[in-house]
Amino acid sequence: MLQAPGQSFADWMEGRVARKSTRSYDWDALKFQADFDPKYRRAQMRYVGTGGTGVSKDSNTVPSGHFTFSTMVIPAGNIGPSHIHYDVEEIFFVIRGEMMVVCEKDGQRWEAVLGERDLISIPPGVYREERNIGDEDALMCVMLGSPKPITPVYPPDSPLTKIKREKR
């Protein structure tokens, strides 16, 4: 993240730019979930760091010093399954579409519909699930408050807790 000794300012700053034209959606980052149930199919496009999807290395991202940032495509009717981050705040910012966000903590449940340019900041220790309730693919920005967040955990009764994810 810091300017390397002898590196020009221009090269350093250019290395901090992530252009849409140089990246593609990674439909495999969460493929283990979609293989279990197609309703979990979604794709990540990483910009800063690798996020919380379990992808440990992506050389085509801006180095992360304090947070990760990616976009996520969620096809119509699909779900980001309930999960919890114990170590970081997670932000969802809806760019396109309509998402139902469900949060749970200590037996309490809260839900809200988020539309275009709506944002939610979910504190650590709160389960979160996001569902595309619209008729088109939704597009969200996802930001996690750590350069290397711990892989999220599913609720104990979720069938996803038993699935082994491949290291990528």
Side-chain angles (χ1 to χ4, degrees):
M1 181 171 152
L2 299 177
Q3 186 175 0
Q7 182 182 32
S8 74
F9 181 69
D11 286 345
W12 180 46
M13 292 310 299
E14 190 60 38
R16 307 218 37 92
V17 175
R19 301 184 192 285
K20 180 179 182 265
S21 62
T22 65
R23 53 214 66 253
S24 59
Y25 276 107
D26 182 353
W27 290 94
D28 291 332
L30 297 163
K31 186 177 181 304
F32 72 99
Q33 293 174 351
D35 287 346
F36 176 76
D37 190 325
K39 71 182 177 188
Y40 297 133
R41 184 173 182 266
R42 55 206 195 287
Q44 180 188 43
M45 185 181 285
R46 294 174 288 279
Y47 285 85
V48 177
T50 57
T53 58
V55 174
S56 60
K57 183 109 175 94
D58 182 344
S59 60
N60 192 34
T61 64
V62 172
S64 178
H66 304 284
F67 59 89
T68 69
F69 182 89
S70 62
T71 58
M72 185 79 65
V73 170
I74 304 97
N78 283 17
I79 300 170
S82 182
H83 64 284
I84 193 168
H85 293 276
Y86 289 108
D87 62 327
V88 294
E89 170 184 21
E90 184 170 32
I91 291 175
F92 298 139
F93 179 81
V94 179
I95 298 172
R96 180 181 66 235
E98 196 171 42
M99 299 296 296
M100 168 72 72
V101 177
V102 179
C103 296
E104 295 185 74
K105 182 174 173 53
D106 301 328
Q108 298 179 72
R109 181 181 168 98
W110 176 88
E111 58 185 55
V113 174
L114 301 182
E116 185 176 315
R117 296 189 186 185
D118 289 343
L119 176 146
I120 184 169
S121 169
I122 304 168
V126 174
Y127 281 99
R128 72 281 323 255
E129 173 182 304
E130 61 278 357
R131 297 184 214 149
N132 182 347
I133 59 172
D135 296 329
E136 64 180 13
D137 288 355
L139 179 61
M140 292 192 323
C141 294
V142 180
M143 191 167 150
L144 291 164
S146 169
K148 294 205 180 284
I150 297 169
T151 305
V153 178
Y154 305 102
D157 60 345
S158 170
L160 294 174
T161 60
K162 297 175 179 76
I163 296 174
K164 298 288 183 212
R165 106 178 35 211
E166 288 181 27
K167 293 282 186 195
R168 293 194 48 217

